[in-house]
Amino acid sequence: MAEQGRQGTKTPRERYRAQVRAEIKERAREQIASAGASALSLNAIAKQMGMSGPALYRYFGSRDELITELVRDAYRSLADTFRAASETGADVAALAHALREWALADPQRYFLVYGTPVPGYHAPEDITAIASEIMAVLLDACAALPPNGPASPFEAHLAGHRDWADGHPAPPAVLHRALAFWTRLHGVLSLELAGHFTGMGFDPALFFTAELDALAGPSAQ
């Protein structure tokens, strides 16, 4: 309802601009799905939409500006998914399955933020802040898990190398566990979405769950 209220306060020109920007982003997502983000072309999108290149640049000033908008949308979508799950009391397993469902729903959106970096592109700080929201939810969930054994040398290292946690007060053992979840589950997801499990004869969903169970167990490292 609030969004409808905001839409209602816009002028016709502002509504038209928002519609055109939304169509440009949709065309960009289609282009990325077929050729990858590095091949994104504003001139090609303009041609598809029956616009001139200069006309399209009035809506997005550069390829990087358009990529930034798509990346921001993707991170915001996952952050909202995690926040909604956490507000219902989701544990780390539920968050992991929410991540997988989000990834499977739109693989190209997933690869845009967790795939091969776009050459020459650097995300602005506000996107890093959204990514930190996602990690903060995971850190909170990992903090609720039982201890998983004696401290490791890596945990001692993390005590002084925790900038990526963006001020979260989690102790090094929790930082380690969150990183283990994040890297191993993204590894499984990336391979699955890229089709590397095709023809291997096992159920990727069961494999994902088995990795999750191993990570959540008291002996997980």
Side-chain angles (χ1 to χ4, degrees), residues 27-43:
R27 299 281 186 173
R29 283 189 284 266
E30 293 171 357
Q31 202 176 95
I32 289 170
S34 62
S38 61
L40 185 63
S41 166
L42 267 66
N43 286 329

Side-chain angles (χ1 to χ4, degrees), residues 65-90:
E65 183 180 328
L66 177 53
I67 290 175
T68 293
E69 190 78 4
L70 297 175
V71 170
R72 184 182 289 116
D73 287 350
Y75 271 122
R76 184 74 267 157
S77 173
L78 182 56
D80 289 347
T81 297
F82 265 36
R83 186 184 68 252
S86 68
E87 288 175 352
T88 63

Side-chain angles (χ1 to χ4, degrees), residues 132 135-141 143 162 164-171 174-175:
S132 294
M135 183 56 72
V137 174
L138 179 60
L139 284 165
D140 288 342
R162 51 186 302 143
W164 58 273
D166 197 31
H168 195 285
V174 172
L175 298 180

